[in-house]
Amino acid sequence: MSRSTRRIAHLSDVHTLDPAHRRSSARYRIATRAVSLGRPVDPRDRARKLARGLEAAKASGADHVVITGDLTEVGDPKEFEHFAQILSDAHMPEGTVTLVPGNHDAYTSAAGWRRALEGPLARYASASATDAGKVVDRGEVAFLPIDTSCFQSIARSGGMFTPDAARAVQARIDDPGLRDKSIVLVMHHPPFVRHGNPLSEWVDGLRGCKHVLEMLARHPRVQILHGHMHRVVDRIVDLGKGVAGLANRARILGAPAIVDDAEVPRVRLYDLGDGLLESAGLFAM
Ligand SMILES: [Fe+2]
């Protein structure tokens, strides 16, 4: 394990494809076209962007990298293998990469993420989303990677923060052993409704997001890194009375999508200051 975390690089929404896409089944080709929403279905281009994003993360001096879901286009085993190969080729040090699944990673199978962690992504399992309440202790920062994905039709893109997950995460936040650390929940779905329409929560949002917002309101050291929106997000939580000094710090932070960036993808950076993450801009190379 390397030194304590002072800088974090945040990548998201990679949407890796099977490199043999053109020779794969008609069912796979139709599904990936449908969920690509008009983007070019080009496995090599997407792989190149992830590789460059990882190079940028390393060059930025980040001590830890988080990739907040939609690692693959439909959660196909071949896609997970390809994603793992690109990570491996980038020689990311063990224990310094935190992965969580997104809705796309669960379109093929309810067990796809677990099988990927037991198979091609085994090297990254120790720092990635497995059981609810898991803590990845990196010195001054404790990451809590959370799986919000659920097996569902490609017509839906929502996620779920279950009451069990809420209890497990709450217990960790209350743990005196983490009292002096900056706590970072890492999850794909942001804890709000994308279009401001409560009806969209079921289709596209995070069911159970009120548990997350309650935690943020009660605990000023808790922050969230998320994906799903495919753009930079800086949201401030209304902390209520008593912790007004922290009220103007964004604590819900989203990163742009690797898949949507041009040839040179942008990586979002944060530096640790006063126990909270400070946005350090976007970095590309
Ligand atoms: Fe995505």
Side-chain angles (χ1 to χ4, degrees):
M1 188 73 70
S2 66
R3 64 199 157 114
S4 179
T5 298
R6 303 292 308 174
R7 169 165 281 192
I8 296 163
H10 182 185
L11 289 69
S12 200
D13 295 80
V14 183
H15 294 254
T16 308
L17 290 159
D18 177 354
H21 184 271
R22 287 165 71 181
R23 298 189 301 281
S24 56
S25 69
R27 183 191 167 100
Y28 176 74
R29 280 181 280 128
I30 291 166
T32 48
R33 279 234 170 73
V35 297
S36 285
L37 304 173
R39 293 181 197 99
V41 182
D42 181 342
R44 287 206 293 189
D45 180 58
R46 297 192 190 183
R48 203 179 306 125
K49 286 179 185 173
L50 173 59
R52 292 190 76 153
L54 293 170
E55 284 307 312
K58 283 163 70 175
S60 75
D63 310 293
H64 199 89
V65 175
V66 305
I67 311 183
T68 47
D70 287 358
L71 313 176
T72 65
E73 192 61 289
V74 293
D76 184 272
K78 295 264 177 38
E79 295 177 339
F80 278 120
E81 277 172 30
H82 193 201
F83 176 81
Q85 185 62 51
I86 301 162
L87 277 190
S88 167
D89 291 346
H91 303 292
M92 310 302 289
E94 194 145 3
T96 66
V97 181
T98 290
L99 308 172
V100 298
N103 47 293
H104 281 248
D105 300 309
Y107 281 147
T108 297
S109 158
W113 173 243
R114 181 176 54 74
R115 286 198 201 112
L117 286 181
E118 290 168 359
L121 290 174
R123 192 163 177 267
Y124 308 96
S126 67
S128 297
T130 50
D131 303 323
K134 176 174 181 172
V135 175
V136 179
D137 189 338
R138 293 301 318 276
E140 291 170 68
V141 181
F143 295 97
L144 274 67
I146 298 161
D147 179 355
T148 56
S149 71
C150 35
F151 182 44
Q152 61 193 352
S153 143
I154 59 171
R156 289 178 54 195
S157 55
M160 189 155 35
F161 192 84
T162 63
D164 280 353
R167 274 189 291 277
V169 170
Q170 184 66 53
R172 291 304 194 173
I173 292 171
D174 292 337
D175 182 346
L178 300 184
R179 191 172 39 217
D180 298 326
K181 293 179 189 288
S182 182
I183 294 178
V184 180
L185 310 189
V186 183
M187 48 203 254
H188 178 66
H189 295 85
F192 47 80
V193 176
R194 196 203 290 245
H195 304 294
N197 175 1
L199 291 176
S200 77
E201 178 173 330
W202 194 79
V203 175
D204 186 39
L206 180 66
R207 278 166 287 152
C209 68
K210 71 175 172 49
H211 299 303
V212 185
L213 291 170
E214 283 165 10
M215 266 181 239
L216 284 170
R218 280 202 304 270
H219 299 276
R221 288 174 306 107
V222 176
Q223 302 137 101
I224 292 180
L225 300 185
H226 70 81
H228 195 54
M229 307 294 281
H230 287 215
R231 61 177 170 80
V232 170
V233 173
D234 285 287
R235 283 239 180 163
I236 295 163
V237 180
D238 181 5
L239 295 167
K241 291 177 186 146
V243 281
L246 296 172
N248 60 356
R249 304 271 295 262
R251 293 197 295 133
I252 303 177
L253 301 150
I258 293 288
V259 70
D260 284 345
D261 261 347
E263 188 74 9
V264 181
R266 297 164 301 162
V267 170
R268 190 164 189 195
L269 301 177
Y270 314 97
D271 289 332
L272 193 63
D274 296 332
L276 290 176
L277 303 187
E278 297 277 9
S279 185
L282 294 165
F283 182 73
M285 60 173 283

